[in-house]
Amino acid sequence: MADARTRGRLVGQPLLYAISIFASLGVFLFGYDQGVMSGIITGPYFLEYFNEPTAIEIGMMVAVLEIGAFFTSLAAGMVGDMIGRRGTLFVGALVFTIGGAVQTFSVGFWTMVIGRIISGCGVGLLSTIVPIYQSEISPPNHRGALACMEFTGNIVGYSFSVWTDYFCSFIESHKSWRIPLLIQCVIGAILAAGSLVMPESPRWLIDTGKDDEGLRVLADLHGGDLNNTVALAEFAEIREKVQEEASRSGFATLVKLGRIGAMWRKYKRRVLLAMSSQAFAQLNGINVISYYAPRVFEEAGWVGRDAILMTGINSIIYVLSTLPPWYLVDRWGRRMILLSGAVVMALALVATGYWLYIDIPQTAKAVVVCVIIFNAAFGYSWGPLPWLYPPEIMPLTIRAKGVSLSTATNWAFNFWVGMTTPVFQEWIEWRLYPMHGFFCVCSFILVYFLYPETKGVPLEEMDAVFGEDERDERLDNESERASLITNSPPMHDHHAISSPTRRYEEGGWFSRLFTRRSAYQPVASEDE
């Protein structure tokens, strides 16, 4: 029976979904902020107010947000470890709101740039901590679906900003661009207020010695009963993992001082995979469309408000494309979705470049179709999964710092794409789109050969997927099985043969590329 204190408050599945919806507000914000500029930079009143800005000036106003986001995403890991996931959400939302206010009441080019940088600082904190918070709250069999729901919130924010731009374009004054910027302040204030009532991450609480509070949150997530066997088992597993990591030579110092260099040496493969997922999320071309869709459609022949309307229609398809992963990500797995998405995106981008190159009467409609297909493929694959994958594969004690690096990678490449796209649209024209199609092909190759599957793996068992330091762990914790590390296992020893590390070693480099993708076997499988 649930504790009496649970009366009148959310527990169990309602609490889990409430947290997911609330966390989605964080990604809604930076989805809105990424999309809101795409519509206003083509508006006559905006162009008049900022004295017909050049391509470089427009690129700076759009992309400078990523400068603030880059630096705070690097710091977000340490901030998240010091003040908690919930506290970081509050700070991020507050900073974002302040930046939005500066943009709204901008008096010139540099005021807008400063406001974008401040908002970027808030976005950097939110974009790092929200995926961590979500992954640490979610059960393993629903973690992928909940993360994809969170990404849907991001695209709903983007779509909402585009349609806000469209309807405000009918206002015959400078309010046509100030009102869309003001709305983001309201949303930021709501998120800041909501962060004060949401529960803290139980894994962070346990990692910082607040075991009773951590158990309380875990119990609430499992219905509110402090004696719930699942909650107690999860609590014991998390605490054991924290103690194990802290007891390793030099690792407690790493956790306390946050020495990123040591983290890099110990988990280099995981960090590189996490960073690459975020890098290709940008190199695959999404923000060529998200930031500059009206300009893309103007290239194809749509004019003025019609270009924004096409962007709005595209955004609706984009939102709908994020729904299938809710169901598929925990059934098909991460790899299949990333691979198929990369193929469709590459074809759509090449086709976009082709239609712009031949420039015939059908080009305008054909480009809209190609962009919609590209956005749908991204929304189904490389949109949500690079936000899910890094916090999944990082160990608890360095999760915030590792995700900080991957998110900073996102914003670094995000800045490059946002800053260079207007210039490339003038310099290399239609060739811009096949160029990003080439990056899609590169991402396919990377995932096919190097990305392991993480579907259904509990966060505390992720070491088994990568096999990192598995020998040391066995020597320290299972000395009676040390012979399995140094000697070949007997052919009848089924468990030794099925070890992820053993299978990886026996097959050489070829097995290293392919076997690791699906070698994980649940720890508790024998008991079920």
Side-chain angles (χ1 to χ4, degrees):
M1 182 179 296
D3 191 285
R5 287 177 295 176
T6 65
R7 295 172 185 171
R9 60 189 178 90
L10 293 176
V11 295
Q13 291 292 332
L15 174 61
L16 180 61
Y17 290 124
I19 291 171
S20 297
I21 293 171
F22 160 74
S24 293
L25 266 184
V27 292
F28 180 99
L29 271 179
F30 62 87
Y32 185 94
D33 204 64
Q34 286 178 303
V36 71
M37 293 298 287
S38 69
I40 66 176
I41 60 176
T42 59
Y45 289 97
F46 181 89
L47 295 173
E48 175 195 343
Y49 191 83
F50 291 96
N51 300 316
E52 301 295 330
T54 65
I56 293 177
E57 288 174 330
I58 289 176
M60 181 175 290
M61 282 191 284
V62 171
V64 76
L65 176 134
E66 277 74 49
I67 293 178
F70 173 79
F71 287 108
T72 54
S73 63
L74 283 174
M78 296 185 68
V79 174
D81 284 342
M82 287 189 295
I83 67 175
R85 303 348 183 187
R86 189 176 63 175
T88 308
L89 279 171
F90 174 78
V91 173
L94 184 62
V95 171
F96 180 91
T97 303
I98 294 171
V102 174
Q103 293 176 62
T104 302
F105 301 103
S106 172
V107 295
F109 173 78
W110 289 109
T111 312
M112 177 64 74
V113 168
I114 291 170
R116 294 285 289 171
I117 292 175
I118 295 172
S119 284
C121 291
V123 167
L125 292 173
L126 293 172
S127 61
T128 302
I129 213 67
V130 168
I132 295 173
Y133 182 63
Q134 180 72 75
S135 69
E136 292 184 347
I137 288 289
S138 306
N141 58 327
H142 294 302
R143 189 172 62 237
L146 290 170
C148 290
M149 292 179 190
E150 176 188 304
F151 180 74
T152 299
N154 176 275
I155 307 309
V156 169
Y158 168 74
S159 181
F160 183 74
S161 71
V162 172
W163 284 105
T164 299
D165 287 344
Y166 177 71
F167 288 116
C168 287
S169 70
F170 290 94
I171 300 174
E172 298 295 331
S173 72
H174 290 296
K175 292 180 181 178
S176 62
W177 60 269
R178 292 192 188 272
I179 289 176
L181 294 174
L182 177 63
I183 290 175
Q184 64 186 340
C185 302
V186 177
I187 302 168
I190 293 172
L191 178 61
S195 66
L196 300 177
V197 298
M198 286 291 109
E200 181 56 87
S201 161
R203 286 173 168 83
W204 180 82
L205 290 169
I206 297 168
D207 189 39
T208 53
K210 301 178 177 67
D211 288 3
D212 291 342
E213 295 177 49
L215 177 58
R216 174 76 269 169
V217 176
L218 287 171
D220 285 348
L221 290 169
H222 290 285
D225 185 1
L226 284 170
N227 297 314
N228 181 281
T229 55
V230 177
L232 291 171
E234 190 173 351
F235 171 77
E237 185 177 16
I238 295 170
R239 187 169 61 174
E240 179 183 357
K241 190 68 177 179
V242 169
Q243 292 172 345
E244 176 188 326
E245 293 285 4
S247 67
R248 292 180 185 174
S249 176
F251 207 80
T253 306
L254 164 63
V255 175
K256 297 298 182 184
L257 299 181
R259 294 206 296 260
I260 301 239
M263 175 199 72
W264 181 270
R265 290 191 297 272
K266 188 174 183 65
Y267 295 107
K268 179 169 65 175
R269 182 176 180 233
R270 301 197 205 191
V271 173
L272 286 173
L273 289 180
M275 293 174 69
S276 70
S277 70
Q278 289 284 23
F280 277 103
Q282 297 304 315
L283 290 174
N284 286 352
I286 184 56
N287 279 328
V288 174
I289 308 302
S290 294
Y291 286 153
Y292 300 108
R295 287 171 65 96
V296 174
F297 291 134
E298 284 184 345
E299 278 187 279
W302 301 92
V303 180
R305 189 175 293 129
D306 287 341
I308 303 177
L309 177 61
M310 291 300 103
T311 305
I313 293 171
N314 170 60
S315 73
I316 293 175
I317 306 298
Y318 193 7
V319 171
L320 295 176
S321 73
T322 67
L323 301 181
W326 294 18
Y327 177 82
L328 297 176
V329 71
D330 289 316
R331 290 168 174 79
W332 287 8
R334 286 52 164 158
R335 284 172 44 82
M336 178 63 72
I337 292 175
L338 288 172
L339 291 171
S340 57
V343 171
V344 177
M345 289 159 59
L347 294 174
L349 286 169
V350 171
T352 300
Y354 170 77
W355 284 106
L356 290 172
Y357 169 69
I358 61 175
D359 193 18
I360 60 176
Q362 291 80 12
T363 291
K365 293 181 180 178
V367 166
V368 169
V369 172
C370 291
V371 168
I372 286 175
I373 292 173
F374 168 81
N375 259 151
F378 181 87
Y380 142 85
S381 59
W382 283 89
L385 267 63
W387 295 103
L388 164 65
Y389 203 69
E392 276 193 326
I393 65 177
M394 295 293 177
L396 171 62
T397 46
I398 56 98
R399 182 170 296 137
K401 299 176 184 66
V403 174
S404 286
L405 282 176
S406 70
T407 306
T409 303
N410 174 284
W411 293 117
F413 282 90
N414 201 319
F415 173 76
W416 181 80
V417 172
M419 189 70 190
T420 59
T421 292
V423 178
F424 282 159
Q425 284 174 328
E426 292 185 1
W427 287 2
I428 64 175
E429 300 174 333
W430 61 270
R431 300 171 187 85
L432 172 65
Y433 306 99
M435 180 185 80
H436 285 288
F438 168 76
F439 288 127
C440 292
V441 174
C442 294
S443 69
F444 178 95
I445 295 171
L446 184 71
V447 171
Y448 185 81
F449 286 108
L450 296 179
Y451 277 43
E453 183 55 71
T454 58
K455 176 186 69 174
V457 182
L459 297 181
E460 282 68 42
E461 296 179 23
M462 202 61 68
D463 286 351
V465 173
F466 289 88
E468 292 172 347
D469 294 328
E470 191 174 23
R471 293 186 178 212
D472 292 339
E473 291 175 15
R474 289 184 179 182
L475 286 170
D476 292 340
N477 304 318
E478 299 180 57
S479 58
E480 70 276 13
R481 297 172 62 185
S483 60
L484 295 178
I485 304 300
T486 56
N487 301 311
S488 298
M491 290 306 295
H492 64 272
D493 191 337
H494 166 75
H495 301 300
I497 293 172
S498 65
S499 161
T501 301
R502 176 63 57 191
R503 291 193 298 193
Y504 161 67
E505 290 169 352
E506 288 175 349
W509 69 269
F510 190 79
S511 290
R512 182 179 305 183
L513 295 179
F514 291 94
T515 307
R516 275 191 167 189
R517 286 175 277 164
S518 57
Y520 168 76
Q521 294 183 6
V523 170
S525 61
E526 297 176 334
D527 301 327
E528 293 176 353

